[in-house]
Amino acid sequence: MQNKNKYSCINEFDPSALDEVKAIARITKSIKQIDKSEKVNIKQSFGRVCFENIKSKISIPSFRNSAMDGYAVNISQLKKNNYILKQTGISLAGKPYIKKLKEKETIRVMTGSLIPQNCDAVIMKEMVQIRKSSITFPDTIKKNQNIRFIGEDIKKNNLIIKKGKVIDYIDLGILSSIGISTVKVFAKPIVSFFSTGDELVSITKRLRKGEIYDSNRYLLFGLLSKLPVIIKDMGVVRDNELAISNKLKECSKISDVIITTGGVSVGDADFIKSALKKVGEINFWKISIKPGRPLAFGKINKAKFFGLPGNPVSAAITFQLFVIPAIEKMLCSRKHKKLIIKAKLVTNLTKKKGRIEYKRAILTHDNGDYIVNTTGLQGSNILTSLASANCYIRLSAETDKVKKGDYVDTLPFDIEI
Ligand code: AMP
Ligand code: MG
């Protein structure tokens, strides 16, 4: 009798493969937050993870100021004086007028300038009538109009940036606005990586029959460059268990994380698993997703180890799904939850049951609806269909087909504006 669990061409269920959620949980559980920090000036803190809770020592605005170019008035005086006043001064941003408004007086104010203590409205320049010695105001003025109040943006002692926040351009604006010039950030974890494969050739050499250029190291370099880590490119290692073990040992002495690509499957020249067993510990080495089933996770001394698959798309996806959460845990970095957008399929799609499947796709919108279409060939070696994609479609393990017009989960890549 046939084994029910045996995975075949109609069902890809593999009982020894870990599901994605459990795999991420096992990875993050095994990782501790790093406790080293460094103080840097705020320009250097861009993209780094904040190590401290930052409170503001001042209010923003720190003084009442004008939101417009116009005239500062005291409404009660206006009413008394039949909406006609005389201009007796000017307040510019950085050149304040520090006296009080007197009876029958108004002053010219510019955006951002300090306004007199007893002023309770600013009227836009365009709303007044200017004559030689007098200015006539409309009678529709509302109290506090066009005035920016102390602390309306930031209140003194408010928590501005939480530990774990990735410092972005907005934070640089906010930190500088409250007069903070240096900030404590998490030290960068050291991530080393190397490719494995007898077929791999450096991009500066000529290819011979059966050889390919080593592209994964460049792909990984690009992926890692977006993170606050120190990148160590450790080159290429041949398909040889001893050579791989030695390189892993060497990397473990200098790294917090080690990443390899290739050699992690069940082929005759796949030595990652056995090398890892010799020099470290395997936590798991198979996950039930496509692309990317072979993925070894473990440790060598204190360094965490990720053996990613050799196919470039599988390497990219497994990096995004499993390595990034690990690095985020190390840095305690809190990002917004990943967006999942339900989108309407433009074509029919099929897959085998048993694994979650990620398809490269383009997400657009039309008439208030999200629309999604795949970007072509979906083989795990086809990097160009990843290049033209802006999201993944995620199909559950139980799904075997979805039809044109069905709504599917899409995971947009990092959205930047
Ligand atoms: P492997 O996981 O070693 O069985 O490799 C799977 C596929 O990925 C094979 O077609 C390899 O030639 C390819 N591959 C492995 N490493 C790389 C690399 N560094 N750059 C580009 N392709 C690779
Ligand atoms: Mg290989």
Side-chain angles (χ1 to χ4, degrees):
M1 217 174 80
Q2 220 185 348
N3 180 349
K4 247 179 35 193
N5 280 341
K6 196 169 174 185
Y7 58 103
S8 66
C9 48
I10 51 153
N11 186 339
E12 296 207 327
F13 177 72
D14 175 352
S16 63
L18 207 58
D19 90 49
E20 181 190 319
V21 176
K22 282 193 189 131
I24 294 173
R26 272 186 37 186
I27 291 167
T28 49
K29 194 175 162 211
S30 76
I31 284 173
K32 282 201 195 85
Q33 188 185 308
I34 55 174
D35 58 5
K36 264 206 275 179
S37 67
E38 55 181 323
K39 205 169 193 169
V40 295
N41 74 44
I42 56 168
K43 270 190 190 164
Q44 289 163 340
S45 78
F46 182 76
R48 303 286 295 273
V49 183
C50 194
F51 193 78
E52 55 187 341
N53 287 326
I54 298 178
K55 286 186 176 176
S56 178
K57 292 199 175 83
I58 58 170
S59 292
I60 301 290
S62 57
F63 54 91
R64 283 196 328 144
N65 68 80
S66 176
M68 291 277 174
D69 290 337
Y71 291 87
V73 300
N74 178 320
I75 297 174
S76 63
Q77 284 174 16
L78 260 185
K79 282 183 181 158
K80 254 203 240 167
N81 292 292
N82 210 12
Y83 299 95
I84 298 173
L85 298 175
K86 228 174 118 181
Q87 186 195 326
T88 55
I90 185 160
S91 187
L92 299 162
K95 285 191 188 134
Y97 177 91
I98 42 180
K99 288 183 277 186
K100 275 188 173 179
L101 286 178
K102 291 204 195 98
E103 185 77 15
K104 295 187 187 171
E105 276 186 2
T106 179
I107 62 157
R108 280 271 283 143
V109 290
M110 305 299 150
T111 307
S113 66
L114 180 94
I115 55 172
Q117 229 179 62
N118 61 338
C119 143
D120 58 6
V122 168
I123 296 92
M124 268 169 85
K125 194 177 152 202
E126 293 82 348
M127 306 289 282
V128 302
Q129 275 181 358
I130 305 169
R131 292 207 187 82
K132 248 192 183 158
S133 60
S134 68
I135 298 166
T136 308
F137 290 87
D139 60 3
T140 51
I141 301 166
K142 288 201 184 86
K143 197 171 156 94
N144 296 332
Q145 73 177 38
N146 302 323
I147 294 177
R148 297 167 174 168
F149 284 90
I150 293 173
E152 72 177 22
D153 186 4
I154 295 171
K155 288 194 178 55
K156 192 175 165 176
N157 294 325
N158 269 11
L159 183 61
I160 300 307
I161 297 181
K162 272 194 189 164
K163 183 173 182 177
K165 168 89 172 55
V166 178
I167 294 175
D168 61 17
Y169 67 97
I170 304 165
D171 299 319
L172 292 189
I174 288 183
L175 287 168
S176 48
S177 77
I178 57 176
I180 287 184
S181 59
T182 58
V183 53
K184 249 193 200 172
V185 292
F186 276 85
K188 291 181 174 180
I190 299 170
V191 181
S192 61
F193 60 88
F194 61 92
S195 297
T196 67
D198 286 340
E199 73 280 35
L200 302 178
V201 173
S202 153
I203 52 174
T204 57
K205 302 251 165 69
R206 271 176 85 103
L207 289 179
R208 288 176 306 188
K209 245 203 185 112
E211 292 178 336
I212 62 166
Y213 288 123
D214 172 14
S215 61
N216 283 347
R217 275 193 302 131
Y218 296 89
L219 189 79
L220 281 180
F221 176 82
L223 285 162
L224 286 164
S225 297
K226 291 183 155 188
L227 304 171
V229 299
I230 294 170
I231 302 169
K232 295 230 185 268
D233 183 341
M234 303 296 282
V236 179
V237 177
R238 298 293 150 209
D239 288 318
N240 173 293
E241 192 187 282
L242 184 63
I244 293 173
S245 309
N246 287 340
K247 195 62 147 185
L248 287 176
K249 272 196 271 183
E250 182 190 337
C251 290
S252 74
K253 289 181 190 141
I254 55 159
S255 322
D256 298 296
V257 178
I258 303 166
I259 303 172
T260 61
T261 63
V264 74
S265 198
V266 288
D268 291 348
D270 291 336
F271 298 112
I272 287 290
K273 214 177 113 192
S274 54
L276 177 61
K277 228 180 195 166
K278 287 228 163 79
V279 297
E281 281 170 37
I282 300 177
N283 188 317
F284 63 81
W285 71 282
K286 250 200 242 179
I287 35 170
S288 52
I289 67 162
K290 186 181 178 182
R293 171 156 43 207
L295 169 96
F297 174 66
K299 65 174 186 171
I300 304 154
N301 300 321
K302 281 188 182 145
K304 299 295 168 191
F305 172 78
F306 292 89
L308 307 186
N311 274 307
V313 175
S314 310
I317 291 186
T318 48
F319 182 94
Q320 289 159 328
L321 291 177
F322 303 102
V323 182
I324 288 181
I327 293 175
E328 283 179 350
K329 175 84 188 285
M330 272 179 189
L331 293 171
C332 134
S333 61
R334 264 166 266 172
K335 287 239 182 88
H336 298 295
K337 264 203 164 163
K338 282 253 173 262
L339 271 184
I340 296 177
I341 293 176
K342 289 261 182 222
K344 199 161 142 184
L345 262 181
V346 172
T347 75
N348 297 329
L349 294 176
T350 56
K351 72 180 266 295
K352 289 171 187 162
K353 285 189 177 180
R355 288 199 268 175
I356 290 179
E357 195 160 321
Y358 288 89
K359 296 202 184 272
R360 288 139 263 172
I362 288 272
L363 179 67
T364 51
H365 46 81
D366 183 38
N367 254 335
D369 217 354
Y370 283 106
I371 309 284
V372 68
N373 198 2
T374 49
T375 50
L377 291 179
Q378 295 287 322
S380 54
N381 56 328
I382 311 287
L383 203 47
T384 49
S385 59
L386 184 56
S388 51
N390 66 0
C391 74
Y392 291 122
I393 295 173
R394 180 165 60 192
L395 299 172
S396 72
E398 300 74 42
T399 304
D400 59 354
K401 56 175 177 283
V402 269
K403 293 197 292 298
K404 180 178 170 177
D406 285 351
Y407 282 81
V408 288
D409 282 350
T410 65
L411 286 75
F413 299 160
D414 286 355
I415 300 170
E416 280 167 32
I417 47 166

